[in-house]
């Protein structure tokens, strides 16, 4: 588990709560049910209205991944592909059939089996690129849902504030209650802006970043498989794959 998202949310909400205490208020002053229900439920509803039910279900299923999914490291994949290249060079491509059974990466496993079955390199590239494209589109639906929530939330917060201010104007005959009522009216705006910038946008961006890393990993595997299929030198395969990884993302620096 990469704790970046959890730590970031704790720090962000902690800063907000700290500011409330410094101002001499109580956190309970912003924990008002009515504006919170309006902002969160209406934001979800508006986002749902702009997509499909399947989009919403997929986004909700993907949400825990923003906290629990760990960014993939290319080191293991590179090491596996280099070992496959070494064996293929010694024993031939058909000798990798047993090795394919022990590979956990489903993308690498399916691609290797296609290569072993004699799929044309150009056809193999097309098939794997289509799989990567499909994953990008599927992931985009999930993170776009949360980014859309981040777009709707501030405006819905303003709507909540306007609704509350209408109630304030209806009670101008009670001056002693106006201060409390006006303060409560702006809580909806607070939750709209805070939820967008401290929850929905960070979650959406986290899912997008994970998707980018995983698709980059798949592209790395694609290039490695094609190199293995062509019988390339294992050392050159390792160097080629490491050159495709941005600096800082590799643990292994020496050639395999």
């Amino acid at each position: 588990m990469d704790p970046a998202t959890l730590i970031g949310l704790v720090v962000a909400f902690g800063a907000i709560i700290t500011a409330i205490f410094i101002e001499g208020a109580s956190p309970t002053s912003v924990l008002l049910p009515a504006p919170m229900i309006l902002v969160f439920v209406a934001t979800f509803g508006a986002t749902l209205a702009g997509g499909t039910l399947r989009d919403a279900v997929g986004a909700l299923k993907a949400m825990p991944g923003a906290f629990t999914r760990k960014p993939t490291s290319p080191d293991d994949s590179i090491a596996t592909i280099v070992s496959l290249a070494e064996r293929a060079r010694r024993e031939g491509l058909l000798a990798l059939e047993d090795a394919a059974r022990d590979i956990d990466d489903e993308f690498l496993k399916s691609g290797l089996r296609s290569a072993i079955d004699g799929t044309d390199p150009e056809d193999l590239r097309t098939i794997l690129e289509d799989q990567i494209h499909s994953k990008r589109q599927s992931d985009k639906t999930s993170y776009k849902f949360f980014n859309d929530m981040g777009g709707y939330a501030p405006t819905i917060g303003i709507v909540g504030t306007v609704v509350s201010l209408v109630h304030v104007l209806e009670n101008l005959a009670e001056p002693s209650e106006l201060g409390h009522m006006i303060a409560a009216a702006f809580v909806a705006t607070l939750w709209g802006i805070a939820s967008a910038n401290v929850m929905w946008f960070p979650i959406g961006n986290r899912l997008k970043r994970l998707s980018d890393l995983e698709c980059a990993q798949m592209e790395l595997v694609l290039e490695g498989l094609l190199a293995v299929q062509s019988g390339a030198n294992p050392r050159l395969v390792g160097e080629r794959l490491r050159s495709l990884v941005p600096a800082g993302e590799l643990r292994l620096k020496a050639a395999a």
Side-chain angles (χ1 to χ4, degrees):
M1 173 181 175
D2 186 333
T5 299
L6 184 60
I7 292 173
L9 294 182
V10 169
V11 170
F13 277 109
I16 293 173
I17 294 172
T18 300
I20 291 174
F21 277 118
I22 292 176
E23 291 295 328
S26 169
T28 57
S29 62
V30 299
L31 297 176
L32 302 180
M36 292 178 68
I37 291 173
L38 172 64
V39 169
F40 285 96
V41 176
T43 296
F44 180 81
T47 308
L48 176 61
T52 67
L53 186 59
R54 180 177 296 180
D55 295 342
V57 172
L60 293 177
K61 288 182 178 180
M63 184 176 181
F67 300 91
T68 59
R69 278 163 62 189
K70 184 178 181 180
T72 56
S73 172
D75 296 281
D76 294 337
S77 293
I78 292 176
T80 299
I81 293 171
V82 170
S83 68
L84 292 173
E86 291 173 345
R87 185 171 177 182
R89 197 170 176 83
R90 290 195 312 266
E91 306 173 27
L93 198 59
L94 292 177
L96 302 181
E97 191 167 357
D98 291 338
R101 300 191 188 98
D102 300 327
I103 296 175
D104 295 327
D105 186 335
E106 289 299 324
F107 182 74
L108 175 55
K109 180 185 292 187
S110 65
L112 181 59
R113 284 177 173 168
S114 296
I116 294 171
D117 289 341
T119 304
D120 182 79
E122 287 303 315
D123 292 337
L124 180 59
R125 176 181 289 277
T126 299
I127 292 170
L128 297 181
E129 285 180 345
D130 287 345
Q131 291 182 26
I132 296 172
H133 177 73
S134 295
K135 176 175 172 54
R136 285 189 189 277
Q137 293 303 113
S138 177
D139 292 343
K140 181 179 180 180
T141 300
S142 297
Y143 66 70
K144 181 179 181 298
F145 188 89
F146 290 106
N147 286 336
D148 287 346
M149 289 185 71
Y152 286 121
T155 303
I156 291 176
I158 294 174
V159 171
T161 296
V162 172
V163 170
S164 297
L165 288 177
V166 170
H167 179 61
V168 170
L169 294 176
E170 291 175 344
N171 292 272
L172 292 178
E174 302 177 16
S176 60
E177 298 292 327
L178 289 181
H180 172 74
M181 294 172 66
I182 292 173
F186 284 99
V187 170
T189 298
L190 170 65
W191 277 110
I193 296 174
S195 65
N197 293 281
V198 182
M199 292 178 62
W200 309 133
F201 282 136
I203 289 174
N205 290 337
R206 166 71 171 185
L207 291 175
K208 183 178 186 303
R209 176 59 175 157
L210 288 172
S211 176
D212 289 343
L213 289 172
E214 290 168 357
C215 288
Q217 174 88 342
M218 294 170 75
E219 290 170 349
L220 185 77
V221 169
L222 184 157
E223 295 298 333
L225 282 173
L226 293 175
V228 171
Q229 187 184 38
S230 68
N233 183 296
R235 184 179 63 82
L236 296 179
V237 171
E239 291 179 357
R240 158 73 172 159
L241 296 182
R242 277 185 282 273
S243 70
L244 296 176
V245 180
E249 292 187 13
L250 280 174
R251 294 191 304 269
L252 304 176
K253 298 300 181 182

